Amino acid sequence: MAPFFRLAIATVISAAAFVSAAPVNQSKSSPVLQKRSGASVVTRCTIPSTVAITFDDGPFLYTNGLLDILKSRAVKATFFFNGNNYGRIEDFAASVKRAYQDGHQVASHAWDHRDLPSLSQSEALGEMTMLEEAFREIIGVRPTYMRPPFGSLNGPVLEMLGERNYTAVTWDMDTQDWAHPTDFDASYKLYETLFNNPEEIKQPGHIVLQHEVHQVTALQVVPMAIDLALVRGYKVVTVGECLGDPRSNWYTV
Ligand SMILES: *[C@@H]1O[C@H](CO)[C@@H](O)[C@H](O)[C@H]1NC(C)=O
Ligand SMILES: *[C@@H]1O[C@H](CO)[C@@H](O)[C@H](O)[C@H]1NC(C)=O
Ligand SMILES: [Zn+2]
């Protein structure tokens, strides 16, 4: 991500949520900005009338069906893939590759879903680099966007992520599908409340947390939510797009 864009992102950080070891210097004239090491944390879109639906914990059994659903509606989403969680990434390499080729945003959810702040620095780094290696083998590049497992971050982890040029993405809307994986209404209700409020579309968009490892989420809630979003005039886009960050910044070598 270009330094100037990082500045723009930094302004939408929910600064209260996390404490970074290095304070963010938002002075535009400061050359310090380009070298600042703590990763930016994004919790919400900046562009109105967008919604970024994000899928954690895959790839797994429903990734491919979900990709069919997204394709049939010509919308894009963001996948925060693990290396080893419900499935192993090499077993679902074709789905990961397809997500990338279909134009979705492929991003990192770290190797095996451990709580990064509880690890040693070298273990936390390994959680990121092991998955980078797997991504390079499967799609030829590695992502620059990541979501920390459990949304859990601290100063040293943000420092490490910043050194590897990551933007950390949390969320501002949580369906809590993991807590009620078979309850369609409990997840869908949240989308209805959001999209049926006519004032909402003028606001900066939302980053919605979902887990694609649950069949009801992937194959039932998501298509209904997308259809409602489209009817109400929303653009269903990736996290990068809902921040105005071009695709060329989503990956690096
Ligand atoms: C932030 O940048 C300004 C302008 O370059 C500089 O004067 C100030 O010392 C910096 N603050 C920090 C905390 O780095
Ligand atoms: C981070 O980005 C800088 C500037 O583009 C580059 O020099 C550095 O090698 C990158 N670091 C990693 C770990 O990719
Ligand atoms: Zn997760």
Short mmCIF file of all heavy atoms in Angstrom, two decimals, residues 63-77 98 102 104 218-219 222-224 226-227 230 236:
data_model
loop_
_atom_site.label_atom_id
_atom_site.label_comp_id
_atom_site.label_asym_id
_atom_site.label_seq_id
_atom_site.Cartn_x
_atom_site.Cartn_y
_atom_site.Cartn_z
N THR A 63 -16.47 -23.38 0.40
CA THR A 63 -15.84 -22.25 -0.31
C THR A 63 -16.30 -22.21 -1.77
O THR A 63 -16.67 -21.15 -2.29
CB THR A 63 -14.31 -22.34 -0.24
OG1 THR A 63 -13.92 -22.60 1.10
CG2 THR A 63 -13.66 -21.07 -0.75
N ASN A 64 -16.29 -23.37 -2.40
CA ASN A 64 -16.61 -23.42 -3.82
C ASN A 64 -18.08 -23.05 -4.11
O ASN A 64 -18.36 -22.29 -5.03
CB ASN A 64 -16.28 -24.81 -4.37
CG ASN A 64 -15.67 -24.74 -5.74
OD1 ASN A 64 -14.96 -23.78 -6.06
ND2 ASN A 64 -15.97 -25.72 -6.56
N GLY A 65 -18.97 -23.55 -3.27
CA GLY A 65 -20.39 -23.21 -3.41
C GLY A 65 -20.63 -21.72 -3.19
O GLY A 65 -21.44 -21.09 -3.87
N LEU A 66 -19.90 -21.18 -2.24
CA LEU A 66 -19.98 -19.75 -1.95
C LEU A 66 -19.49 -18.95 -3.16
O LEU A 66 -20.09 -17.94 -3.53
CB LEU A 66 -19.14 -19.47 -0.70
CG LEU A 66 -19.07 -18.06 -0.15
CD1 LEU A 66 -20.46 -17.48 0.06
CD2 LEU A 66 -18.31 -18.08 1.18
N LEU A 67 -18.43 -19.41 -3.78
CA LEU A 67 -17.91 -18.73 -4.97
C LEU A 67 -18.93 -18.76 -6.11
O LEU A 67 -19.07 -17.78 -6.85
CB LEU A 67 -16.57 -19.35 -5.41
CG LEU A 67 -15.40 -19.06 -4.48
CD1 LEU A 67 -14.20 -19.94 -4.82
CD2 LEU A 67 -15.00 -17.58 -4.54
N ASP A 68 -19.66 -19.86 -6.21
CA ASP A 68 -20.73 -19.93 -7.22
C ASP A 68 -21.80 -18.87 -6.94
O ASP A 68 -22.29 -18.20 -7.86
CB ASP A 68 -21.40 -21.32 -7.20
CG ASP A 68 -20.50 -22.41 -7.75
OD1 ASP A 68 -19.55 -22.09 -8.49
OD2 ASP A 68 -20.76 -23.59 -7.42
N ILE A 69 -22.17 -18.75 -5.66
CA ILE A 69 -23.20 -17.77 -5.26
C ILE A 69 -22.74 -16.35 -5.58
O ILE A 69 -23.50 -15.54 -6.12
CB ILE A 69 -23.52 -17.95 -3.76
CG1 ILE A 69 -24.33 -19.23 -3.56
CG2 ILE A 69 -24.25 -16.73 -3.20
CD1 ILE A 69 -24.40 -19.70 -2.11
N LEU A 70 -21.49 -16.04 -5.25
CA LEU A 70 -20.96 -14.70 -5.51
C LEU A 70 -20.93 -14.41 -7.01
O LEU A 70 -21.28 -13.32 -7.46
CB LEU A 70 -19.57 -14.56 -4.89
CG LEU A 70 -19.50 -14.70 -3.36
CD1 LEU A 70 -18.05 -14.78 -2.89
CD2 LEU A 70 -20.22 -13.55 -2.66
N LYS A 71 -20.52 -15.44 -7.76
CA LYS A 71 -20.43 -15.27 -9.21
C LYS A 71 -21.81 -15.04 -9.83
O LYS A 71 -21.98 -14.18 -10.70
CB LYS A 71 -19.79 -16.52 -9.83
CG LYS A 71 -19.48 -16.35 -11.30
CD LYS A 71 -18.66 -17.50 -11.84
CE LYS A 71 -17.90 -17.04 -13.06
NZ LYS A 71 -16.55 -17.54 -13.11
N SER A 72 -22.80 -15.78 -9.37
CA SER A 72 -24.14 -15.67 -9.95
C SER A 72 -24.73 -14.28 -9.71
O SER A 72 -25.63 -13.85 -10.43
CB SER A 72 -25.06 -16.75 -9.38
OG SER A 72 -25.35 -16.46 -8.02
N ARG A 73 -24.25 -13.59 -8.68
CA ARG A 73 -24.75 -12.25 -8.37
C ARG A 73 -23.76 -11.17 -8.79
O ARG A 73 -23.99 -9.98 -8.54
CB ARG A 73 -25.06 -12.14 -6.88
CG ARG A 73 -26.34 -12.89 -6.55
CD ARG A 73 -26.30 -13.49 -5.17
NE ARG A 73 -27.58 -14.10 -4.84
CZ ARG A 73 -27.86 -15.39 -5.05
NH1 ARG A 73 -26.97 -16.19 -5.61
NH2 ARG A 73 -29.03 -15.88 -4.71
N ALA A 74 -22.65 -11.59 -9.39
CA ALA A 74 -21.61 -10.65 -9.87
C ALA A 74 -21.15 -9.69 -8.78
O ALA A 74 -21.02 -8.48 -9.00
CB ALA A 74 -22.09 -9.88 -11.10
N VAL A 75 -20.92 -10.22 -7.57
CA VAL A 75 -20.42 -9.39 -6.47
C VAL A 75 -19.09 -9.97 -5.97
O VAL A 75 -18.74 -11.10 -6.28
CB VAL A 75 -21.42 -9.30 -5.30
CG1 VAL A 75 -22.73 -8.69 -5.76
CG2 VAL A 75 -21.65 -10.66 -4.65
N LYS A 76 -18.37 -9.14 -5.20
CA LYS A 76 -17.07 -9.56 -4.70
C LYS A 76 -17.06 -9.55 -3.17
O LYS A 76 -17.76 -8.78 -2.52
CB LYS A 76 -15.98 -8.60 -5.21
CG LYS A 76 -15.89 -8.53 -6.74
CD LYS A 76 -15.33 -9.80 -7.35
CE LYS A 76 -15.08 -9.66 -8.84
NZ LYS A 76 -16.20 -10.20 -9.64
N ALA A 77 -16.22 -10.42 -2.62
CA ALA A 77 -16.11 -10.54 -1.16
C ALA A 77 -14.65 -10.72 -0.78
O ALA A 77 -13.77 -10.77 -1.66
CB ALA A 77 -16.94 -11.72 -0.67
N ARG A 98 -9.28 -20.18 -7.25
CA ARG A 98 -10.49 -19.67 -7.92
C ARG A 98 -10.94 -18.36 -7.28
O ARG A 98 -11.33 -17.43 -7.99
CB ARG A 98 -11.61 -20.72 -7.83
CG ARG A 98 -12.83 -20.26 -8.58
CD ARG A 98 -14.00 -21.20 -8.47
NE ARG A 98 -15.22 -20.49 -8.87
CZ ARG A 98 -16.44 -20.89 -8.61
NH1 ARG A 98 -16.64 -22.02 -7.96
NH2 ARG A 98 -17.47 -20.18 -9.01
N ASP A 102 -11.30 -15.17 -9.55
CA ASP A 102 -12.63 -14.57 -9.70
C ASP A 102 -12.65 -13.09 -9.28
O ASP A 102 -13.68 -12.43 -9.40
CB ASP A 102 -13.68 -15.33 -8.88
CG ASP A 102 -14.11 -16.64 -9.56
OD1 ASP A 102 -13.61 -16.94 -10.66
OD2 ASP A 102 -14.96 -17.35 -8.97
N HIS A 104 -12.04 -11.88 -6.14
CA HIS A 104 -12.29 -11.62 -4.72
C HIS A 104 -10.96 -11.24 -4.06
O HIS A 104 -9.89 -11.45 -4.64
CB HIS A 104 -12.89 -12.86 -4.06
CG HIS A 104 -14.17 -13.27 -4.73
ND1 HIS A 104 -15.30 -12.52 -4.67
CD2 HIS A 104 -14.45 -14.33 -5.53
CE1 HIS A 104 -16.25 -13.09 -5.40
NE2 HIS A 104 -15.75 -14.20 -5.93
N ALA A 218 -22.74 -19.93 4.61
CA ALA A 218 -22.19 -19.84 3.25
C ALA A 218 -23.27 -19.98 2.18
O ALA A 218 -23.26 -19.24 1.19
CB ALA A 218 -21.12 -20.92 3.06
N LEU A 219 -24.19 -20.90 2.39
CA LEU A 219 -25.09 -21.25 1.30
C LEU A 219 -26.51 -20.72 1.47
O LEU A 219 -27.31 -20.75 0.54
CB LEU A 219 -25.11 -22.78 1.11
CG LEU A 219 -23.73 -23.42 0.92
CD1 LEU A 219 -23.84 -24.91 0.67
CD2 LEU A 219 -22.93 -22.75 -0.21
N VAL A 222 -25.80 -15.89 3.27
CA VAL A 222 -25.07 -14.98 2.39
C VAL A 222 -25.84 -14.64 1.10
O VAL A 222 -25.96 -13.47 0.76
CB VAL A 222 -23.64 -15.49 2.13
CG1 VAL A 222 -22.98 -14.75 0.99
CG2 VAL A 222 -22.83 -15.32 3.41
N PRO A 223 -26.39 -15.63 0.38
CA PRO A 223 -27.13 -15.24 -0.83
C PRO A 223 -28.33 -14.33 -0.54
O PRO A 223 -28.57 -13.36 -1.27
CB PRO A 223 -27.58 -16.58 -1.43
CG PRO A 223 -27.34 -17.61 -0.38
CD PRO A 223 -26.24 -17.08 0.49
N MET A 224 -29.03 -14.60 0.56
CA MET A 224 -30.18 -13.74 0.91
C MET A 224 -29.72 -12.34 1.28
O MET A 224 -30.34 -11.34 0.90
CB MET A 224 -30.93 -14.35 2.11
CG MET A 224 -31.65 -15.64 1.80
SD MET A 224 -33.17 -15.36 0.86
CE MET A 224 -34.17 -14.59 2.14
N ILE A 226 -26.99 -10.81 0.30
CA ILE A 226 -26.52 -10.12 -0.91
C ILE A 226 -27.71 -9.63 -1.72
O ILE A 226 -27.73 -8.48 -2.19
CB ILE A 226 -25.63 -11.06 -1.77
CG1 ILE A 226 -24.31 -11.32 -1.05
CG2 ILE A 226 -25.38 -10.46 -3.15
CD1 ILE A 226 -23.46 -12.41 -1.70
N ASP A 227 -28.71 -10.48 -1.88
CA ASP A 227 -29.87 -10.07 -2.68
C ASP A 227 -30.55 -8.86 -2.07
O ASP A 227 -30.94 -7.93 -2.79
CB ASP A 227 -30.85 -11.25 -2.82
CG ASP A 227 -30.28 -12.35 -3.71
OD1 ASP A 227 -29.29 -12.08 -4.44
OD2 ASP A 227 -30.81 -13.48 -3.68
N LEU A 230 -28.39 -5.71 -2.67
CA LEU A 230 -28.46 -5.23 -4.06
C LEU A 230 -29.80 -4.53 -4.33
O LEU A 230 -29.83 -3.47 -4.96
CB LEU A 230 -28.24 -6.39 -5.03
CG LEU A 230 -26.83 -7.03 -4.99
CD1 LEU A 230 -26.76 -8.24 -5.91
CD2 LEU A 230 -25.74 -6.02 -5.34
N VAL A 236 -21.80 -4.54 -3.20
CA VAL A 236 -21.20 -5.60 -2.39
C VAL A 236 -19.78 -5.82 -2.91
O VAL A 236 -19.60 -6.32 -4.01
CB VAL A 236 -22.04 -6.89 -2.46
CG1 VAL A 236 -21.42 -7.98 -1.61
CG2 VAL A 236 -23.49 -6.60 -2.02
#
